[in-house]
């Protein structure tokens, strides 16, 4: 959800509108101004999140101390998990760039350049936040010709440059096409200001996935191989049998031991 | 001669291939990391800081070149994925994406596993396992494989059953068809009742469970945190005795309930103690002085009210903002005099009933 703060100026409003255009079907832009300070009081943000059932938010405001302020954040269980305040130094809007744009709802390709995104903890969280924000829905298949949008984030000198390009696939001699980029879309120069990151425990709790989604490893599918020794005692060796046996559950073999025993 | 020519031909072919690939290859110091499920590429190489410092078109050109290189590598990886033509031969080329590898936090906590139903508990106890039934059954009459239940089932349509045997020992006048229908209705009702009961049990268990969450939620009060710390200390193998402590923590581990359990004296224990206790009780009942100190009680009550008012004011301030703070400042002086007036009223009442004016802790 994209929210305007108490005194949001033209730049900030334009930024929110552009990002809403990029994220079109999966975002909600609130028109009215809301006089809150997310870093002091988070209750109104949580109320909005519950109302609109959105967990990611972008809050834009402007005052003398923090001009052109943008707070990007996410929620866990309708309570604020992470919040990072970014200052907009330069902004080029969608309207100012006179090129053709991507259709709505395309899944963008995300590229992060710069070693700051791995070295610094705050930048790492920012990378995670940006991925969460811009990645779009998870799809199993993708049309290769439909890969049109690229969002490129560079972290250099304490600044973060966000650029969006349209991809043109040119013929090359082989199967892989040659890429040419055309500037489209909003481009932002950002500076990191304050942060409000969740504690490690809370972050680990939010990363927990239910068992059903966990990938089954081969070790959990091991089953015993029964063999009867010379002394008529059963010895059980574990081995990976052929594919069809992986369908049987290990418990069912206990019936076989009863037969043999 | 022929061998040399073959080698030449192969070398030439390789060179041609390399030429073709030159337009799509990119040289990088460190390999990029890819997460194709999210269409994500991470470039660890430090970008050329010198070129990017100066503002203007040069920076844009550099950023664009960097983006083009990275995008080329990502697209090359995506094109290597197994692809197929969707919707027949003429359809678009569609690649199958792998699962997203980058771990992102969930929006809401994962759902709690529901408690086992009564049948599931019984089955686990007895070791009964679920046998998978075949979906088709051989129908002798129709001489073909029919469904076990549903449309065109194996035993024929039960609504059209024209024969109902009278079981032994049943009333010959009873309507068997009606009996069969009634029994089916009863079975259905019983199953529905059990299903609702299982749901209610699961719902009750779900709402009862989070009474004492020990996980950090980010919005716990001081008392909750204290309780959690106390429980955590006692939950070790030595029950909190032999483990590293903070400097000011007591050596005795705290009790898990925090000293809330009621303890009763044994019935036939110390007779002397019991006697002295009973005599003291009689003495207190007979004396003229009241046991309850009114002034202390009143002071305690006023202090509590003031603390509550301060907490409420703090909350209101953060909600209202500038406008509220201006109003509050005007209202605060009114509140102070109001409290003083209250104190003056209370004191004569207190001194009347109690013995002597009690000093207020807060002036």
């Amino acid at each position: 959800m994209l929210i305007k703060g108490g005194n949001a100026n033209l730049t900030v409003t334009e930024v929110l509108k552009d990002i809403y255009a990029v994220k079109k079907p999966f975002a909600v832009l609130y028109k009215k101004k809301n006089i809150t300070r997310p870093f002091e009081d988070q209750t109104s943000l949580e109320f909005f999140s519950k109302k609109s059932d959105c967990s990611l938010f972008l809050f834009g405001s402007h005052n003398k101390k923090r001009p052109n302020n943008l707070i990007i954040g996410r929620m866990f269980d309708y309570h604020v998990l992470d919040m990072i305040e970014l200052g907009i130094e330069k902004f080029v809007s969608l309207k100012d760039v006179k090129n053709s744009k991507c259709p709505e709802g395309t899944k963008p390709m995300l590229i992060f350049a710069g070693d700051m995104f791995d070295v610094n903890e705050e930048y790492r969280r920012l990378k995670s936040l940006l991925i969460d924000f811009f990645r779009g829905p998870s799809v199993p298949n993708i049309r290769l010709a439909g890969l049109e949008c690229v969002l490129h984030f560079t972290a250099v000198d304490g600044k973060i440059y966000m650029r969006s390009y349209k991809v043109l696939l040119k013929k090359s001699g082989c199967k892989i096409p040659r890429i040419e980029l055309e500037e489209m879309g909003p481009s932002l120069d950002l500076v990191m200001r304050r942060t409000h990151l969740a504690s490690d425990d809370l972050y680990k709790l939010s990363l927990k996935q239910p068992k059903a989604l966990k990938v089954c490893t081969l070790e959990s599918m091991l089953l015993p191989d029964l063999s009867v020794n010379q002394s008529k005692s059963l010895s059980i060796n574990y081995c990976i049998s052929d594919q069809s046996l992986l369908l049987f559950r290990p418990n069912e073999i206990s019936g076989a031991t009863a037969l043999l025993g | 001669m022929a061998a040399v020519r073959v080698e030449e031909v192969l070398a030439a072919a390789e060179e041609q291939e390399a030429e073709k690939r030159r337009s799509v290859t990119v040289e990088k110091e460190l390999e990029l990391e890819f997460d194709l499920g999210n269409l994500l590429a991470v470039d660890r190489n430090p970008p050329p800081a010198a070129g990017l410092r100066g503002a203007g078109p040069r920076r844009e050109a550099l950023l664009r070149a960097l983006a083009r290189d990275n995008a080329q590598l990502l697209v090359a990886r995506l094109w290597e994925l197994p692809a197929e033509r969707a919707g027949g031969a003429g359809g678009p080329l569609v690649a199958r994406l792998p699962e997203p590898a980058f771990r992102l936090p969930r929006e809401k906590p994962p759902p709690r596993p529901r408690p086992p139903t009564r049948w599931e508990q019984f089955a686990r106890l007895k070791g009964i396992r679920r046998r998978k039934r075949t979906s088709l059954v051989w129908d002798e009459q129709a001489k073909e494989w029919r469904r076990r239940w549903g449309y065109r089932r194996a035993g024929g349509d039960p609504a059209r059953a024209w024969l109902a045997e009278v079981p032994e020992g049943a009333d010959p006048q009873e309507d068997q068809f009606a009996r069969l229908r009634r029994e089916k209705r009863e079975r259905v009702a019983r199953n529905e009742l059990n299903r609702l009961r299982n749901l209610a049990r699961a719902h009750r268990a779900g709402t009862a469970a989070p009474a004492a969450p020990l996980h950090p939620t980010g919005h716990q009060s001081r008392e909750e945190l204290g309780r959690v710390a106390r429980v955590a200390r006692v939950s070790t193998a030595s029950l909190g005795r032999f483990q590293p402590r903070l400097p000011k923590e007591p050596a005795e581990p705290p009790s898990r309930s925090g000293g809330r359990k009621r303890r009763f004296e044994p019935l036939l224990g110390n007779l002397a103690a019991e006697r002295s206790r009973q005599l003291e009780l009689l003495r207190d009942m007979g004396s003229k002085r009241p046991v309850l100190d009114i002034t202390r009680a009143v002071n305690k009550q006023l202090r509590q009210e003031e603390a509550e008012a301060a907490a409420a004011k703090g909350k209101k301030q953060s909600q209202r903002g500038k406008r509220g703070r201006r109003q509050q400042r005007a209202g605060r002086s009114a509140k102070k005099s109001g409290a003083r007036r209250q104190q003056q009223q209370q004191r004569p009442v207190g001194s009347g009933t109690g013995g002597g004016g009690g000093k207020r802790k807060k002036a």
Side-chain angles (χ1 to χ4, degrees):
Chain A
M1 46 183 182
L2 304 157
I3 313 175
K4 289 199 281 190
N7 31 11
N9 60 354
L10 189 65
T11 322
V12 159
T13 323
E14 289 286 311
V15 169
L16 288 176
K17 277 209 278 208
D18 278 355
I19 293 189
Y20 175 64
V22 168
K23 279 205 74 165
K24 217 11 166 349
F26 305 108
V28 53
L29 174 69
Y30 285 122
K31 288 202 178 128
K32 294 224 182 118
K33 293 191 180 176
N34 299 287
I35 308 176
T36 42
R37 295 197 189 103
F39 272 85
E40 273 105 44
D41 176 30
Q42 289 140 16
T43 44
S44 91
L45 274 177
E46 293 170 1
F47 170 73
F48 277 130
S49 144
K50 242 183 253 186
K51 258 297 175 73
S52 63
D53 198 20
C54 292
S55 65
L56 297 161
F57 65 88
L58 205 57
F59 183 90
S61 67
H62 171 84
N63 48 20
K64 202 159 163 203
K65 192 170 175 190
R66 289 174 232 276
N68 296 334
N69 211 15
L70 203 65
I71 301 179
I72 182 169
R74 67 180 149 208
M75 310 257 188
F76 175 67
D77 196 17
Y78 302 124
H79 291 281
V80 168
L81 184 67
D82 286 339
M83 271 196 302
I84 298 185
E85 195 173 51
L86 302 161
I88 305 169
E89 306 239 305
K90 195 176 84 122
F91 168 62
V92 177
S93 157
L94 270 171
K95 303 195 294 275
D96 297 337
V97 179
K98 305 263 187 290
N99 288 332
S100 60
K101 318 283 182 210
C102 283
E104 262 178 32
T106 43
K107 195 168 155 80
M109 295 193 272
L110 303 164
I111 304 181
F112 287 83
D115 47 353
M116 283 281 267
F117 278 123
D118 287 303
V119 165
N120 199 334
E121 174 64 35
E122 295 185 346
Y123 276 82
R124 240 181 298 166
R125 287 284 179 96
L126 179 64
K127 180 172 106 177
S128 161
L129 252 175
L130 290 169
I131 294 173
D132 218 351
F133 208 83
F134 286 110
R135 68 171 170 158
S138 299
V139 287
N141 303 321
I142 189 159
R143 195 170 74 98
L144 287 174
L147 290 169
E148 288 175 344
C149 183
V150 168
L151 295 174
H152 187 91
F153 299 90
T154 321
V156 150
D157 269 353
K159 290 213 184 140
I160 301 156
Y161 301 104
M162 171 188 151
R163 301 281 180 272
S164 6
Y165 300 104
K166 187 173 157 84
V167 170
L168 303 165
L169 304 165
K170 295 273 161 60
K171 255 195 202 167
S172 73
C174 53
K175 208 168 52 139
I176 304 170
R178 184 176 160 80
I179 301 283
E180 290 299 329
L181 293 180
E182 199 184 319
E183 173 100 29
M184 120 186 123
S187 76
L188 290 166
D189 290 357
L190 301 165
V191 158
M192 181 147 8
R193 287 181 188 154
R194 294 183 288 180
T195 58
H196 176 272
L197 303 176
S199 64
D200 281 334
D201 299 341
L202 189 55
Y203 197 66
K204 257 191 224 158
L205 188 71
S206 66
L207 285 174
K208 251 194 206 164
Q209 305 287 344
K211 255 197 202 152
L213 290 178
K214 277 200 200 144
V215 177
C216 220
T217 57
L218 195 58
E219 281 77 41
S220 61
M221 305 272 256
L222 281 178
L223 51 110
D225 172 45
L226 298 170
S227 62
V228 183
N229 289 351
Q230 278 178 346
S231 58
K232 295 273 172 72
S233 63
L234 283 171
S235 77
I236 299 178
N237 307 313
Y238 278 87
C239 73
I240 304 174
S241 326
D242 61 297
Q243 284 282 332
S244 55
L245 282 179
L246 284 173
L247 293 171
F248 288 115
R249 291 190 207 98
N251 291 330
E252 294 191 358
I253 306 294
S254 61
T257 59
L259 280 175
L260 284 173
Chain B
M1 261 283 281
V4 171
R5 232 188 255 154
V6 164
E7 274 177 26
E8 275 178 17
V9 165
L10 282 174
E14 264 187 55
E15 254 200 60
Q16 273 184 9
E17 278 289 324
E19 267 288 332
K20 281 189 200 164
R21 284 204 166 256
R22 213 163 291 160
S23 60
V24 291
T25 41
V26 174
E27 283 294 324
K28 284 271 183 184
E29 277 178 14
L30 270 171
E31 278 292 316
L32 301 200
E33 286 185 6
F34 296 98
D35 175 12
L36 295 173
N38 277 325
L39 299 182
L40 173 69
V42 178
D43 181 10
R44 295 257 168 101
N45 300 306
L52 290 170
R53 217 163 278 155
R58 201 161 139 253
R59 184 161 75 189
E60 296 301 315
L62 265 173
L63 283 174
R64 191 157 157 176
L66 183 65
R68 197 219 79 82
D69 289 339
N70 289 334
Q72 179 74 66
L73 286 166
L74 179 57
V75 164
R77 272 302 177 94
L78 283 168
W79 243 256
E80 281 168 18
L81 284 175
E84 57 202 24
R85 292 238 162 240
L93 199 62
V94 166
R96 186 184 302 274
L97 286 178
E99 287 285 324
F102 194 83
R103 275 180 90 198
L104 286 163
R106 284 172 64 98
E107 271 194 44
K108 291 168 198 158
R112 253 186 300 271
R114 58 175 174 79
T117 61
R118 269 179 71 88
W119 166 251
E120 279 173 3
Q121 285 171 0
F122 179 76
R124 197 182 304 164
L125 198 66
K126 291 283 182 176
I128 302 170
R129 239 168 286 124
R130 185 172 165 72
R131 244 178 307 162
K132 188 137 185 182
R133 290 174 151 188
T134 58
S135 49
L136 297 175
V137 186
W138 178 251
D139 189 2
E140 264 306 322
Q141 278 200 330
K143 296 270 191 302
E144 64 171 0
W145 289 96
R146 286 255 172 101
R147 279 165 229 251
R148 190 184 288 276
W149 50 269
Y151 183 59
R152 284 203 196 140
R153 64 183 68 175
D157 191 2
R160 297 246 207 118
W162 51 269
L163 181 70
E165 276 190 24
V166 179
E168 292 182 31
D171 181 17
Q173 306 291 352
E174 194 193 355
D175 183 1
Q176 293 304 317
F177 296 107
R179 181 183 61 90
L180 286 171
R181 277 200 302 270
R182 188 185 64 235
E183 280 184 354
K184 182 164 169 81
R185 237 181 293 138
E186 280 169 9
R187 260 181 285 136
V188 167
R190 190 167 6 107
N191 277 328
E192 185 64 25
L193 179 69
N194 283 331
R195 185 183 74 91
L196 290 172
R197 265 205 221 138
N198 283 329
L199 272 179
R201 208 175 287 123
H203 184 69
R204 239 186 300 132
T207 45
L214 294 182
H215 286 300
T217 53
H219 42 276
Q220 283 165 312
S221 65
R222 191 158 180 260
E223 290 83 25
E224 263 189 74
L225 288 174
R227 182 173 56 80
V228 169
R230 207 173 46 227
V231 171
R233 180 158 174 208
V234 186
S235 319
T236 53
S238 65
L239 298 179
R241 274 186 191 274
F242 308 111
Q243 61 190 38
R245 285 199 299 277
L246 290 174
K248 291 227 178 126
E249 247 181 314
E252 273 291 317
S255 59
R256 240 192 77 162
S257 52
R260 261 188 316 219
K261 235 180 172 165
R262 287 180 72 188
R263 276 181 209 241
F264 297 100
E265 299 288 333
L267 280 177
L268 300 172
N270 199 347
L271 284 179
E274 191 181 338
R275 189 179 173 176
S276 60
R277 219 177 336 116
Q278 301 283 9
L279 285 175
E280 210 177 293
L281 188 64
L282 285 169
R283 189 162 42 88
D284 281 338
M285 277 162 55
S287 79
K288 293 288 167 69
R289 216 167 59 101
V291 185
L292 171 67
D293 190 357
I294 297 285
T295 45
R296 279 191 70 185
V298 163
N299 292 347
K300 203 169 177 180
Q301 179 68 20
L302 281 171
R303 246 204 329 270
Q304 198 181 351
E305 279 172 10
E306 272 182 23
E308 279 174 21
K313 192 169 73 168
K315 239 194 275 176
K316 268 197 225 154
Q317 250 187 12
S318 63
Q319 276 179 11
R320 287 219 207 117
K322 220 193 230 178
R323 192 171 28 101
R325 249 182 273 135
R326 277 206 214 109
Q327 279 185 1
Q328 292 283 358
R329 224 175 283 144
R332 240 178 73 186
S333 44
K335 249 197 170 176
K336 249 193 183 164
S337 51
R340 259 192 231 123
R341 249 183 266 127
Q342 258 192 3
Q343 292 169 29
Q344 285 169 5
Q345 271 181 11
Q346 288 282 0
R347 215 181 277 162
V349 172
S351 55
T353 50
K359 249 195 211 144
R360 280 195 56 102
K361 290 222 173 125
K362 256 187 189 181

